[in-house]
Amino acid sequence: MAFPQNNRQLLRSAAPWLLGWLILNLLQALFTELFHDEAYYWYLSSRLQWGYSEHAPGMMALIALSRWIPGELGVRLFPVLMSTLGLALLTLLARPRHVSDWFWLLLSMSGLHAIGFFAAPDSPLFVTVLLFWTCYRLYLKEDSLANSAMLAGAIALMLYSKYHGAMTLFFVVLSYPALLNKRSFWLVVGLSTALFLPQLWWLWQDDFGTFRFHLGERTPGPWYPGRTLEFWGALLLLAGPLVALPLFWGAARHKARDLWERGLRWTLWGMLALLSAMTLHNRVEANWAATALIPLLLLGFWHFEQRGTWQKWLKPLAIATLLPLLVLRVYLAWDFLPGENRFRNEYHRWPEWAGQIDSLSEGAPVVFVNWYSYPSKFAFYTGKPALGTSNLWYHRTQISEWTKEVPLQGKPALIVSTFFFPGMDSLTTAVGKTFYYQALPRYRSFEPVKLASTDTPWDLLDGQEKVTVSMVQNTDSVIRIREQDAVRIIGHVFDGPRQLYTIIHDPLLELDLHPGEAVTFSVDLGPMANVAAGSYRAIWSLQVGSMILNKHGDWQEVEVVK
């Protein structure tokens, strides 16, 4: 698409700023070790598929395109390029009268510094949401076939980048309900759905596990004020600790001049209201609202630009914000603080850590218990495969799902954990964290075995303290559990996020489970006098030796009757 003359002039004026931004982020990408999440996305990019346990596939596809470049730049190349493209698109949408003042405002927003080089789904989401706003403005001017097709493509790209992009689409439609009466709108819906169909099919096959995790299983529990305050505090930091409040004030006072700006207003306030409401049930990360920074920036900027008063405070606030941001960016690349003062040691000395763990393995596969970040960092900095497993106290990850496919059962493995199990040795690592490890001559996890209690409610009247637990396996081979595997059934009773009681079933199991076979056990609930009657959550595991390595069932709602 050819830019009109005024757009070309605007980009020409912005070019020095964009070039400086590109160079700054290329240097940052080159000299900063991977963050935990970036290493995880790199790990996932080794195996492209339409979806992942916790994420849409967009970021992983981009990393896969640049994996041939060695080092951290191979992970971050596309985020760096896309953030520069994003600032160019944002400038074209804002159409500032004074380009330098506009870029001072952009540079004072700490969230843009993170998007500038950080290889996370928010990077492609930032650009694709900007593409959506660009195409939506064209569509409102003329709902032609070409504009409808471009809008549909932008919507699909937005959703492939991160599912949170659906919030932008939802509130735009709410801002202009008459869209539902347009034939072209339903053409957009049909085209974008067709483009997104492979992802929908994958989600269906996965039983929408991504949404169940983020919306229900992720740190649930009773609401407390700190959870909402944490979200808003992090959001203000993301928007820029000194410019955020003035921008919110300006955005609230700016009157929408057309349907497009009305969509910006609805998206900004709708997203923030929705995410604030979600904190009543679950923890919400501030980066879920990252795309709300776009309408915040535009609406707040336009309000102050129209009044001519903003130049008085913009540069001092921007410079005051930039100085600590630049110091932080230097620290990310260069560890100049004393060891005992390291701030969240997520980005220093991980190559040394990986070498330490590797020296313990003696060539055996390394299996990390929980924490998707550790197998990812180990694989990136050693070039060797790493596996992971999620136990009761952690959610499933794509690494733990892929580990189930590895023919590891009965073979030697090194187990590495951040918490202690009996029989483990400890190692204080280069990153200042103690890790625990044990070399197993014969790794066993029995992950295909599923457990569930079939009695409901749990009736403890008249001293009946037994519950029936069903064990079933659905693989196509026999699973053999022997006495030397030291396997017990363990039950865990929770009241919200707090564990109340642990149920241990003895003796050790010894049996052969044939494909599709189910067996039942009468499990003693033990002296549960300290657990009051009421509703609880329960989950069952198999303890293998001294370690509980995996979940072997789903959460169950149980009613205790006493």
Side-chain angles (χ1 to χ4, degrees):
M1 180 189 301
F3 287 116
Q5 181 63 26
N6 57 345
N7 279 359
R8 287 201 296 269
Q9 291 173 345
L10 186 56
L11 288 176
R12 207 160 26 238
S13 300
W17 293 90
L18 296 173
L19 179 60
W21 180 258
L22 176 64
I23 293 172
L24 173 66
N25 288 303
L26 282 173
L27 291 173
Q28 191 81 59
L30 274 168
F31 295 108
T32 303
E33 291 180 22
L34 291 188
F35 286 59
H36 289 341
D37 285 0
E38 293 179 293
Y40 184 43
Y41 304 139
W42 171 85
Y43 190 109
L44 300 186
S45 72
S46 65
R47 185 169 166 180
L48 289 181
Q49 52 190 49
W50 285 110
Y52 299 88
S53 293
E54 305 140 291
H55 299 288
M59 189 68 251
M60 280 57 85
L62 291 173
I63 294 175
L65 292 174
S66 57
R67 280 179 68 101
W68 57 273
I69 300 174
E72 288 83 358
L73 183 61
V75 181
R76 295 172 171 147
L77 177 63
F78 277 96
V80 170
L81 297 176
M82 294 180 77
S83 75
T84 307
L85 173 62
L87 292 194
L89 288 172
L90 193 55
T91 301
L92 291 174
L93 292 175
R95 311 195 64 77
R97 290 196 292 265
H98 303 286
V99 170
S100 61
D101 292 332
W102 164 250
F103 273 94
W104 278 114
L105 177 59
L106 291 181
L107 292 174
S108 65
M109 301 194 73
S110 48
L112 293 182
H113 285 264
I115 291 174
F117 73 96
F118 189 64
D122 297 294
S123 176
L125 180 65
F126 174 65
V127 175
T128 53
V129 168
L130 285 167
L131 283 173
F132 168 81
W133 285 115
T134 302
C135 294
Y136 181 55
R137 184 156 68 176
L138 292 172
Y139 172 80
L140 288 176
K141 290 179 180 178
E142 182 186 0
D143 57 349
S144 63
L145 179 60
N147 288 341
S148 298
M150 286 194 298
L151 182 60
I155 291 171
L157 289 173
M158 191 165 61
L159 297 178
Y160 275 118
S161 299
K162 193 172 182 178
Y163 302 129
H164 300 71
M167 288 189 291
T168 296
L169 180 61
F170 175 73
F171 287 110
V172 163
V173 174
L174 280 185
S175 74
Y176 184 24
L179 281 172
L180 300 176
N181 298 325
K182 287 176 170 279
R183 288 185 180 180
S184 58
F185 171 77
W186 293 106
L187 174 63
V188 170
V189 171
L191 286 174
S192 57
T193 302
L195 292 170
F196 196 61
L197 203 56
Q199 176 74 73
L200 291 173
W201 176 247
W202 186 91
L203 287 168
W204 175 269
Q205 291 181 311
D206 192 52
D207 196 26
F208 293 93
T210 299
F211 296 102
R212 287 190 288 106
F213 165 64
H214 284 295
L215 299 178
E217 300 173 8
R218 200 170 183 269
T219 59
W223 176 80
Y224 58 96
R227 195 155 63 194
T228 303
L229 292 174
E230 177 192 9
F231 165 70
W232 272 96
L235 179 62
L236 293 176
L237 287 175
L238 202 64
L242 298 181
V243 301
L245 291 178
L247 281 175
F248 273 110
W249 184 81
R253 293 180 61 86
H254 180 77
K255 303 299 182 183
R257 295 168 289 193
D258 54 30
L259 286 171
W260 188 74
E261 290 189 11
R262 185 180 177 187
L264 290 172
R265 284 182 59 85
W266 273 75
T267 300
L268 171 61
W269 304 115
M271 284 180 62
L272 297 181
L274 174 62
L275 293 174
S276 296
M278 288 176 62
T279 65
L280 301 178
H281 172 68
N282 218 324
R283 182 172 176 267
V284 175
E285 294 185 8
N287 63 1
W288 291 13
T291 53
L293 294 181
I294 295 170
L296 175 66
L297 255 174
L298 294 173
L299 297 172
F301 170 78
W302 287 330
H303 173 78
F304 289 111
E305 186 182 47
Q306 291 167 3
R307 279 147 187 81
T309 58
W310 63 296
Q311 295 93 336
K312 297 179 182 179
W313 54 263
L314 176 63
K315 285 187 180 178
L317 288 182
I319 292 171
T321 306
L322 266 175
L323 289 176
L325 283 174
L326 290 175
V327 171
L328 177 60
R329 291 186 71 143
V330 171
Y331 175 62
L332 294 180
W334 172 36
D335 185 10
F336 57 77
L337 293 179
E340 63 273 13
N341 294 324
R342 287 196 182 94
F343 173 70
R344 288 203 61 183
N345 202 338
E346 189 173 329
Y347 24 76
H348 295 302
R349 303 190 68 184
W350 286 93
E352 299 166 61
W353 167 88
Q356 289 178 302
I357 300 297
D358 187 35
S359 66
L360 298 173
S361 69
E362 298 182 352
V366 181
V367 182
F368 292 87
V369 180
N370 298 343
W371 307 115
Y372 61 84
S373 52
Y374 300 135
S376 305
K377 285 276 184 82
F378 179 85
F380 183 82
Y381 286 115
T382 64
K384 297 181 179 180
L387 305 173
T389 184
S390 297
N391 67 13
L392 174 68
W393 293 276
Y394 201 63
H395 59 84
R396 72 165 185 157
T397 68
Q398 193 62 61
I399 294 178
S400 63
E401 293 300 301
W402 286 347
T403 297
K404 295 176 184 178
E405 303 173 9
V406 176
L408 186 62
Q409 303 300 319
K411 297 181 179 179
L414 179 74
I415 305 298
V416 179
S417 173
T418 56
F419 45 88
F420 177 77
F421 289 115
M424 282 187 151
D425 294 318
S426 65
L427 172 69
T428 300
T429 61
V431 298
K433 182 188 288 287
T434 298
F435 282 76
Y436 302 94
Y437 66 94
Q438 183 177 11
L440 297 180
R442 189 166 173 267
Y443 177 87
R444 300 284 271 166
S445 66
F446 305 104
E447 291 188 69
V449 174
K450 300 302 177 187
L451 300 172
S453 58
T454 57
D455 296 339
T456 182
W458 288 5
D459 190 348
L460 304 184
L461 297 173
D462 301 324
Q464 297 297 320
E465 297 183 347
K466 299 280 187 180
V467 65
T468 301
V469 174
S470 172
M471 175 187 291
V472 63
Q473 72 105 340
N474 297 312
T475 62
D476 56 2
S477 59
V478 178
I479 293 179
R480 293 181 170 86
I481 301 177
R482 295 294 176 255
E483 185 176 356
Q484 62 266 31
D485 295 321
V487 177
R488 291 180 174 87
I489 295 175
I490 307 291
H492 314 268
V493 181
F494 281 74
D495 182 9
R498 184 168 62 97
Q499 183 171 354
L500 294 181
Y501 193 74
T502 300
I503 303 163
I504 301 176
H505 174 72
D506 279 321
L508 301 181
L509 302 183
E510 184 165 10
L511 72 160
D512 293 341
L513 275 177
H514 294 271
E517 182 180 359
V519 295
T520 58
F521 300 87
S522 181
V523 175
D524 188 352
L525 296 179
M528 293 184 67
N530 60 328
V531 178
S535 298
Y536 299 95
R537 294 189 307 149
I539 193 168
W540 298 89
S541 303
L542 288 181
Q543 179 177 350
V544 183
S546 61
M547 290 180 283
I548 302 173
L549 289 180
N550 299 98
K551 301 174 185 176
H552 291 85
D554 296 322
W555 287 102
Q556 295 181 272
E557 300 293 331
V558 297
E559 186 74 22
V560 174
V561 178
K562 303 186 73 173

